[in-house]
Structure formats: structure tokens, C-alpha cells
Amino acid sequence: KAGVTQTPRYLIKTRGQQVTLSCSPISGHRSVSWYQQTPGQGLQFLFEYFSETQRNKGNFPGRFSGRQFSNSRSEMNVSTLELGDSALYLCASRPGTSGRYEQYFGPGTRLTVT
Amino acid sequence: KQEVTQIPAALSVPEGENLVLNCSFTDSAIYNLQWFRQDPGKGLTSLLLIQSSQREQTSGRLNASLDKSSGRSTLYIAASQPGDSATYLCAVRPTSGSRLTFGEGTQLTVNP
């Protein structure tokens, strides 16, 4: 079974631009979560989607948004990019929202904002 | 608010040594705890998942224990190898809500 895939793997953007990141979960997984990883803050939860609905949201400004499609694929969008948005963005999937499910992560998208 | 701490922050050992990585959490209302490995610039690889009702889980040379009441977990790596060099992260999932709370990680270097 293929793992979680994320595209693109690397991205360079200019401050003020917007960006869209994509995540394809493991086949059969319906829950997709997004995390931001930076050297200073570590791994921080952005949001989780299940059945095209946002189920939980972390403490990030409204510039960070996401959505999930009927095939469980998810996109994350960051508008009006700031230098501090430079990070590794990780997507994770699991079969459902029950706490017993193990979380599987993708390779991440490395975003650099200049 | 849940806080997860990992000690030590970095560890360097000679090949073949057995070692223990520590993880502590402040809120014992957890559903489970998961250990991950992260290689530089890469995503997270799940190593072990321990449900709150379990005391330990084993996979190959890895053994993870959980003491929910004291808010502690340990990851034991037997007969370490240079290929084990990576950052090891623990994360807890609360009984309510879906987000994982991560520790800062332990950076392990196994020297040949």
C-alpha cells in the first residue's frame, strides 16, 4: 500500500504571495491532519479533516486554511506569506477519527519564504 | 494544556550500546502515545503506538513502555546501530480531541 504523498516537496515563495500544498492519504484513510514543523516551535497542529469537514483546528491565524475532497485528498493554503511561515509542512493520515488509530506521516513539503 | 518533554535533547553512543530515551507528559488524560523517528529533512516514521490501557509494545530491537499515571514513557533501543541515528519524537493523543502533542525530540547519534 502506498504511503502518504505530498506535493510539491520543495517550494520557494516571496513574502506576500500565497501557496497551496497537496496531500494524498493512504488508500482507505479518511482523516487527514496537517502539522507545521519549525526549529523554534517544533511540531504544531494546524487542522484535521474528515469526510470533507474540518474537525479540529490549531492556534494559527486565518491565513492558514485547508480543505478536503471527496476522495480524501487534502489541500492546505497559506495566504499573504510571511518570513515566519518558512517551515516543513507535514501531512498525516489515519483510517478515521477514533483515538485508537495510528497516525502515518508523509515526507513533508519544505516551504521557504524569502 | 498538555506539555511533552523529552530527555535528553541529544545523545551520542558507540555502536552496540543499549539505550533509553525518555518522554514525559503533564496531562495523564491520554488516549495513546506514539513514538516516531525523523531523519534529517524527512517526514516522520511511526515506530510504536501504545494505547493508554497498555504497558508496553515491542517491535524488533525497540521496546516502548508507558506509565500513564506518572506521565512517563521510555523507548528502549537494544544493540544500537549507526542506522539508528535520527531524531526520535514522542507524541500523545488526548482522550478528547484529535491533535497530537509532540515533544521536542531526542537527537541520537550512534558512532561506528
Side-chain angles (χ1 to χ4, degrees), chain A residues 18-93:
Chain A
Q18 76 162 17
V19 67
T20 299
L21 313 181
S22 181
C23 171
S24 292
I26 292 172
S27 177
H29 287 194
R30 296 171 62 197
S31 166
V32 174
S33 297
W34 289 89
Y35 290 80
Q36 180 196 63
Q37 186 177 31
T38 59
Q41 299 295 318
L43 274 149
Q44 293 189 293
F45 173 81
L46 282 156
F47 27 66
E48 180 180 30
Y49 285 86
F50 178 79
S51 292
E52 303 177 65
T53 302
Q54 188 179 88
R55 295 302 177 106
N56 205 347
K57 189 178 191 307
N59 297 323
F60 279 82
R63 300 185 296 106
F64 292 81
S65 63
R67 59 177 176 169
Q68 186 181 34
F69 302 95
S70 58
N71 61 359
S72 295
R73 191 176 70 83
S74 176
E75 286 182 349
M76 190 192 98
N77 184 274
V78 187
S79 63
T80 319
L81 284 166
E82 301 177 359
L83 296 178
D85 297 332
S86 293
L88 181 66
Y89 290 88
L90 293 162
C91 167
S93 77

Side-chain angles (χ1 to χ4, degrees), chain B residues 10-27:
Chain B
L11 184 62
S12 181
V13 300
E15 182 177 1
E17 243 187 48
N18 302 325
L19 56 101
V20 174
L21 307 182
N22 296 292
C23 172
S24 62
F25 45 95
T26 55
D27 187 346

Side-chain angles (χ1 to χ4, degrees), chain B residues 6-55:
Chain B
Q6 291 188 245
I7 294 174
L11 184 62
S12 181
V13 300
E15 182 177 1
E17 243 187 48
N18 302 325
L19 56 101
V20 174
L21 307 182
N22 296 292
C23 172
S24 62
F25 45 95
T26 55
D27 187 346
S28 62
I30 65 167
Y31 206 109
N32 57 44
L33 183 146
Q34 201 166 347
W35 282 93
F36 295 91
R37 167 191 173 134
Q38 185 174 33
D39 293 287
K42 302 289 181 63
L44 276 61
T45 300
S46 178
L47 297 174
L48 290 163
L49 171 72
I50 311 178
Q51 303 293 352
S52 62
S53 58
Q54 298 176 313
R55 297 287 294 185

